[in-house]
Amino acid sequence: MIERIESGARSSKIVKHNGVAYITGQVAEGDTIQEQVQTCLDKIDALLIKAGSSRENMLRVTIWLADMSDFAGLNEVWNAWVPEGHAPARACGEAKLARTELKVEFIVDAAYD
């Protein structure tokens, strides 16, 4: 069975299927990469809870940066957020994001009970 949470015309915030919660791409406003990353991670925390999951159950995270020169700033916040011993598989690349002011986008897949 597939469960869709907070569905809209274009996408759902969360889609759950076969023990995996797929969380839609998260972006945020902010002046610095650190501000945007922290706001995205706060939003991801809330969505993981809504999906019946947590940071400890993340399976895979895909991160898109508008500029790879922000990689160190991303990792500064990310490293403090990921629970020790529970790092997900992760990919990070550079991409043109939906709006010019966006510096980062996260896509998360996590197991749930």
Side-chain angles (χ1 to χ4, degrees), residues 44-113:
I44 290 166
D45 273 333
L47 290 168
L48 286 167
I49 290 167
K50 190 171 278 196
S53 190
S54 67
R55 293 181 204 177
E56 289 81 7
N57 292 330
M58 291 186 301
L59 302 171
R60 178 176 57 187
V61 176
T62 303
I63 305 168
W64 294 111
L65 289 169
D67 186 334
M68 285 304 291
S69 68
D70 284 330
F71 189 70
L74 157 73
N75 284 328
E76 176 184 319
V77 180
W78 171 264
N79 292 344
W81 182 79
V82 173
E84 187 172 334
H86 296 279
R90 184 182 115 163
C92 184
E94 185 176 271
K96 187 172 184 174
L97 301 179
R99 298 188 315 270
T100 56
E101 66 273 15
L102 298 175
K103 299 177 182 298
V104 64
E105 181 172 0
F106 289 83
I107 303 166
V108 177
D109 301 335
Y112 65 90
D113 295 326

Side-chain angles (χ1 to χ4, degrees), residues 14-53:
I14 304 164
V15 175
K16 295 170 71 174
H17 179 66
N18 283 344
V20 178
Y22 303 91
I23 296 176
T24 193
Q26 295 299 302
V27 296
E29 303 293 327
D31 293 330
T32 68
I33 186 64
Q34 291 89 345
E35 290 171 349
Q36 287 195 19
V37 168
Q38 187 61 61
T39 302
C40 285
L41 297 178
D42 292 344
K43 290 165 73 175
I44 290 166
D45 273 333
L47 290 168
L48 286 167
I49 290 167
K50 190 171 278 196
S53 190

